[in-house]
Amino acid sequence: MSREDYEVVIGLEIHAELATKTKIFCSCPTKFGGSPNTQTCPICMAMPGTLPVLNEKVVEYAVKAGLATNCTISKDSKNDRKNYFYPDLPKAYQISQYDKPLCEHGYVEIDTEHGKKKIRLLRIHIEEDAGKLNHDEFAGDSLVDLNRAGVPLIEMVSEPDISSAEEAEAYMRKIKSILEYIEVSDCKMQEGSLRADVNVSVKKKGDTKLGTRTEMKNMNSFKSIERAIKYEVDRQIDVIEDGGKVEQETLRWDDVSGKTFPMRDKEDAQDYRYFPDPDLVAIRLSDEYVENIRKSLPELPESRKERYLKDYKLSEKDARLITSSKYLSDLFEKAIEVCNNPKAVNNWIISDISRILNETEMDPIEIPFDGNQLGKLIILIDKGTISTSIAKKVLEELFENPRDPEEIIKEKGWIQISDEGAIKEIVQKVLSENPKSVADYKAGKDKALGYLVGQAMKQTKGKANPQMLNQMFKEELK
Amino acid sequence: MEITELTVHELQDKLKSKEISITDITKAYIERIEQKENDVQAFVTVLKDEALEQAKDIQEKVETGKIKGEFAGIPIGIKDNMCTKGIKTTCSSRMLENFISPYDATVVEKIKNENIIDLGKLNMDEFAMGGSTEYSYFKKTKNPWNLNKVPGGSSGGSAAAVAANMVPWALGSDTGGSIRQPSSFCGVVGLKPTYGLVSRYGLVAFASSLDQIGPITKDVQDAAMLLNIIAGHDERDSTSANREKVDYTKALTGNVKGLKIGVPKEFFGEGINEEVKASLQKAIEKYKELGAQVEEFSLDIAKYALATYYIIACAEASSNLGRFDGIRYGYRTPEYKDLKDLYRKSRSEGFGPEVKRRIILGTYVLSSGYYDAYYKKAQKVRTLVMNEFNKGFEKYDVILTPTSPTVAFDLGSKTNAPLEMYLADICTVSVNIAGLPGISIPSGVDSEGMPIGMQLIGNRFCEETILNAAYTYQQATKFRENHKPEFKK
Amino acid sequence: MKVSREEILHIANLADLYLEENEIDTYLTHLQEILNFANIVNNAPVDDLNVTIGANENKNVFRKDEVKIFEDNASLLQNAPSKEQNMFKIPKVIN
C-alpha cells in the first residue's frame, strides 16, 4: 500500500511559561538567564518544612488562555502531586492538576488548504516547571540549576484532531499568536517558554481504531515540529508496510541527523501516584470572577483579521500573515495611525519586512523599530523626500540601528534631489556624455530615455527625483 | 522551691517581684540539663553557651528598658523537626544529621519575637514516625517516672524534658497523637490545636493534612500562654486559619457547671487497660461533682479512624519524604555507580526502618490498582469520622476519652511489632483525622505510680472550652502537687 | 489483599529504596499485617459519602504576584553534599 492509504493522527501538548513576575508557589523572580541558583529560595529549593502558596496571576492567566480558546472554566479545581524522582524536580513531585483542570473542552480554528478546521482542546491545566541540568562534559558530571524550578506553566492538551505536519504547525502558530495577544506568555520558543510534546500515530484509511502512538518531547521550533512529524509518519508507515508493529514509546527528535531516537526507558513502568496536594486548598472560581476576565480580554487575531479585510481591504492572505503575530499586527496599526496609508504599510510589512525576518530568522517580537518609525518612513516616500529605493536602505538601517528615519536620511545624505537647477545640470551633463543614446532617442528608440535616466540616477547615487528626471530629459530632447 | 520546678507563670511572678533574674533561670536549667541528660536523653542539641549568652543579653535589654514583654528571658525546648536558622534540625534522622536550615519556622520566629530563650532541640521518633521515641537515630529517651519505660512519642524528648524539669515548657508536633500520648506517658499537659490554628511553615512535614504544632507544659495555664504565642494566621501556610486572635488564658475560669461532657463508650472497650479505665471513671465522677453534665454515647469510629490514619499519613509521608534524595542537602552515600544508585543507597542508608516501612506502605496505597481500595476509601472514611464528631458536638461541648489505652510501656517491648505500636494510637488519631483540638492532662497514676492521661476533645477552634475543662480538673485534683517523677532505675 | 515479593520490590523501586535480601521478608510481613488491618476501611459505611482532602475549609488562598528576593542565597547551598559553580553536583545524567 502507499502513503495515500494512511491517515495521520496527531495530538499536541503545548507547554507555555506564563509571563508572571514571580514563580507559581513562591516569590522568586521568573526572569530568564539569571546565573545558576540565584533566583531561588527555600521553597523552590524544596527545603524541609517549606510550603507552597499559589500565585493569583497564574490562575488569572490560565483562565484567560481558557476563555481565548473557547474552553469551559471549571468552578471547582485543585492541585495534585505527580510523584517521581528526577534531579531537576527538587520536591520529587511536581505540583500539577490531575482530574480537575482549570479549563476544559475548548477549540481553536486553523486555516488549511481545504479551508478552516476546528482543533479541539481537551484541557488546560496549571503546573510548575522543573529546573535545568547542565552537563560538565570534561568531568562527566551533571550540575543542577533550580532557577527555572517553579516557573508557572500552562499545559494545553489538544484532542487528536490534527492530520498533517502542516496542520500541526498551523495549530502551534495559532496557539502562539493567541497567547501573545492576551499577553499571558512571551512565547519565546528559543528560550523554551513555548514548547510542545507531539503525539503521532498512523492508521489505514477507514480504520476506526487508532494506531499505536509515539511521543516526541520538548519540541521548540516550528521547523523541527514539521520535520519531526513528517519523518515519524514515514517511519511508522514503513514499519507497518514491512509487516512490523509500531512500539508505543517516547522519542527524542535530533535536528542535526533529522531522525527520531527512542529515549532511554525508565527501568520501571512509571506510576506517578497522583493525589491531591494537602498543602494547597481548593480553587473555587465565581461566575463574576470569570466574567471580569472575559471582559478584560483584548481583541483576538480572528477579529482583527476580519477588521483588516473590511476597513483596509487587505487580501485574505495578507491579513492572515499580519495578524498571525500580535507584534506585526501592532506595528501595522501604529504605522497607519502615523502615515494614514494602509496600502503602503501592508506592502512594506508583507514584502520587505517579512523578507528580512525570514532571512534573519527573526521572530516579529524582536523587530527593533516601532510603527511610529515605519509610518514616518512611509510619509517621507509619500512627500517625495526619498525614493522607494532609498526607503529600502532606510528600512535596513531601521533593523540595524533604529532611530527617526528623518535623522537617518539627513545623516546619510539620502535626501532626494528635487531642485530644478540641480536636476537640469545633471541632465545636461549626462546628455553631453552620451551622444549616442541621444541620437538613438531622436531616431525613435524610446528605450534610450530609460538608459539616460539610469545614468543620471547612477551619478546621483539614486537621490535624484525620477519623475523630474524624466520630465527634464524629454524637454531637453525635444 | 527549685527554679526548675516552677511553671512559667510562676517564673513570671518571681521575675516581676525581682526574686530571681533571667540569668538565674537559664543557669538553673542548664545545670538541671547537665544533671539529668545522662538518665533522660531528651536532647539532640543543647544550646548551653548560646542560651547563657542570650540570657545575659536579654536581661541587660530588659533592665535598660530596651525590650519589654512578659516572656522575655523565659527558656524553652523545641522538638527537632521545627526549622531553626543556623542551628541543626535533624528530625532525629541520619538523613539530616548535619542539616542546618536556611530559615526559621514561623513558630520559631514567634518564640524569638517574645525574646524566649531556646535551650536546645529535643529528641523524637525519626521524622515524627513512632510512639515511643525509640526510632530516633541518635538516642532513646527515657521516661522520667521510670527510666526503663518509654516516654511515648513522637514528641518523647519534649514531654520527658518538661516532666524532668529540664525545660519549663516545650513545643511538640502531633500528627496522630505525638503531643498527647507522650504527655500522658510523662504526666504533663499536651495540647494538639485545631488543624490550621498554628502555622506549619517550617515544621518538617510528616503528613501535611494532619500535622499540628502545639505546647507541652507543666500545667494548663502554661499551655494557654504558649498557645497565645504560637497561634495565628500565617500567609506562608495556605492551610492556616485566618481568625481573630484570642487570649486563651481568659478562658480559664475554673468553672464547669453545666458543661456537657460526652463519653464515647467505644473508647473504653477492649484493649483499654483496666487501671486506665478506673482512673478515667474517677475523673468522670470528679467532673460530675464539679457540676458538669456527663453522659455516655456511641462514637463507633475508632477502628476505622486508625486504619484511615495509617493510610492517609503514610501516603502523604511517602510523597513528603521524596525530597530527601542526597542532592541538595542531607545524607549522601559515599559510593554510587550512577544517579539511581545514589538515590537508593542514600535513602536506604539515611532512613531508619520505621520510616522506610511507612514510605513503602504509603507508596503502596497510592500506587495504581490500590488507590481506590485504600487511599480513596480512607478519604471517604475521613468524611465519616468528621460527620460522627459533628453529631457528637451537637450534643456535647467536650468529648472525654483516655489519651492512650495503656500507661508507658517498657523500652524495646514493641519495636518489633509495628502494628501493636500503631494500635496504641487508637484514642488519639481520630482527632487529627477530623482536625479537632485535643488536650491530654494527667488524670492520676496506676499501681506502679505511672501517670495516666485523660484526653479532652473539643469542636473545631474551641480550644477555650477544653482548656477550661482541663484547668478546672487540674485545680480540683492538684496532680503536680501530689505526684513527681522519681527517675526509677 | 495479598502482597507478593515482586510487588514489594516494585514498590521499593517506585520509592527509590533498596531492600536488603534479609529485610525483604520482614517488610513483607509487616506490610501484609498492616494492610490486613487497614482493610477494615472497606467495611466502613461510606458509599454515599464524598472524599475529604484536608481538615480545613480554606478556599482560594492566593499570593500577590510580587517579587521578594531571598537574600541569604549562600545558605541555600551550604548543605549540599557536592556542588560546583553554585550548582548541585550529581553523577552524569543522559537524557
Side-chain angles (χ1 to χ4, degrees), chain B residues 171-216:
Chain B
L171 288 177
S173 72
D174 188 314
T175 305
S178 285
I179 286 175
R180 290 158 289 161
Q181 181 253 23
S183 298
S184 139
F185 281 13
C186 295
V188 294
V189 174
L191 170 66
K192 182 273 191 200
T194 306
Y195 186 81
L197 184 63
V198 179
S199 169
R200 292 185 296 115
Y201 189 79
L203 170 69
V204 180
F206 161 13
S208 313
S209 77
L210 301 162
D211 297 341
Q212 263 295 287
I213 293 170
I216 296 179

Side-chain angles (χ1 to χ4, degrees), chain A residues 63-338:
Chain A
V63 169
K64 266 191 172 160
L67 293 171
T69 52
N70 310 294
C71 286
T72 317
I73 308 304
S74 318
K75 292 197 166 27
D76 283 290
S77 187
K78 67 176 169 74
N79 298 97
D80 301 279
R81 292 184 182 182
K82 179 183 184 181
N83 297 283
Y84 64 96
F85 286 90
Y86 205 69
D88 64 6
L89 190 71
K91 296 190 296 301
Y93 58 82
Q94 178 195 34
I95 303 179
S96 180
Q97 297 191 285
Y98 184 53
D99 55 343
K100 288 183 173 185
L102 269 175
C103 319
E104 289 182 286
H105 312 308
Y107 68 87
V108 295
E109 281 187 336
I110 59 168
D111 301 291
T112 72
E113 65 261 24
H114 333 291
K116 292 203 176 307
K117 178 174 178 181
K118 255 188 196 178
I119 308 294
R120 292 168 302 155
L121 276 84
L122 176 64
R123 56 187 276 160
I124 303 176
H125 70 255
I126 54 174
E127 61 184 27
E128 57 185 333
D129 207 343
K132 271 210 174 78
L133 298 186
N134 301 308
H135 302 290
D136 178 338
E137 294 310 327
F138 311 102
D141 300 312
S142 296
L143 300 170
V144 186
D145 170 12
L146 296 175
N147 281 349
R148 201 182 62 183
V151 168
L153 294 173
I154 46 173
E155 178 173 336
M156 312 176 84
V157 182
S158 83
E159 299 278 6
D161 292 350
I162 302 164
S163 36
S164 73
E166 292 74 14
E167 285 183 17
E169 188 189 342
Y171 170 74
M172 184 92 173
R173 285 192 186 277
K174 173 53 68 91
I175 294 292
K176 178 170 185 283
S177 74
I178 289 174
L179 295 180
E180 285 172 355
Y181 274 85
I182 59 176
E183 296 178 317
V184 302
S185 171
D186 65 18
C187 296
K188 289 188 181 155
M189 296 177 87
Q190 63 281 12
E191 289 179 10
S193 56
L194 187 72
R195 48 192 201 258
D197 301 343
V198 183
N199 294 302
V200 179
S201 69
V202 301
K203 63 180 172 83
K204 301 235 168 64
K205 282 219 169 84
D207 277 8
T208 46
K209 198 168 141 299
L210 287 176
T212 311
R213 63 187 173 81
T214 58
E215 182 177 37
M216 294 175 282
K217 284 221 171 280
N218 286 322
M219 312 286 294
N220 65 349
S221 95
F222 294 120
K223 271 205 187 64
S224 45
I225 287 174
E226 198 189 350
R227 289 176 61 208
I229 291 174
K230 288 197 161 125
Y231 172 88
E232 185 55 18
V233 167
D234 290 343
R235 190 189 66 83
Q236 290 188 12
I237 292 175
D238 290 341
V239 169
I240 295 166
E241 289 291 305
D242 300 351
K245 279 175 86 271
V246 176
E247 291 286 328
Q248 171 146 13
E249 58 188 344
T250 306
L251 304 170
R252 183 177 54 80
W253 167 253
D254 179 49
D255 243 331
V256 184
S257 62
K259 290 187 163 73
T260 56
F261 298 95
M263 297 221 278
R264 263 190 334 128
D265 257 349
K266 313 230 166 37
E267 55 190 76
D268 277 294
Q270 270 305 353
D271 178 352
Y272 291 122
R273 289 157 285 136
Y274 280 97
F275 75 103
D277 191 330
D279 288 330
L280 290 156
V281 299
I283 304 170
R284 290 252 166 89
L285 302 180
S286 67
D287 300 348
E288 186 198 6
Y289 174 88
V290 175
E291 275 323 298
N292 288 336
I293 293 179
R294 196 192 298 279
K295 287 199 204 80
S296 78
L297 282 181
E299 186 185 22
L300 295 173
E302 276 312 306
S303 109
R304 276 205 197 190
K305 198 180 96 190
E306 296 314 312
R307 195 154 53 76
Y308 293 175
L309 295 177
K310 200 162 119 296
D311 300 357
Y312 305 128
K313 309 276 172 290
L314 263 54
S315 75
E316 170 79 26
K317 185 165 158 302
D318 293 358
R320 191 188 306 159
L321 184 139
I322 291 174
T323 53
S324 70
S325 153
K326 174 176 192 295
Y327 305 97
L328 279 184
S329 178
D330 288 348
L331 184 74
F332 177 74
E333 299 196 357
K334 181 71 188 155
I336 291 174
E337 250 177 62
V338 174

Side-chain angles (χ1 to χ4, degrees), chain B residues 284-305:
Chain B
I284 289 169
E285 293 315 312
K286 177 56 88 177
Y287 271 116
K288 287 178 178 163
E289 274 172 43
L290 293 164
Q293 305 169 15
V294 187
E295 190 179 290
E296 207 179 62
F297 78 110
S298 172
L299 182 64
D300 194 8
I301 42 123
K303 268 213 158 49
Y304 295 140

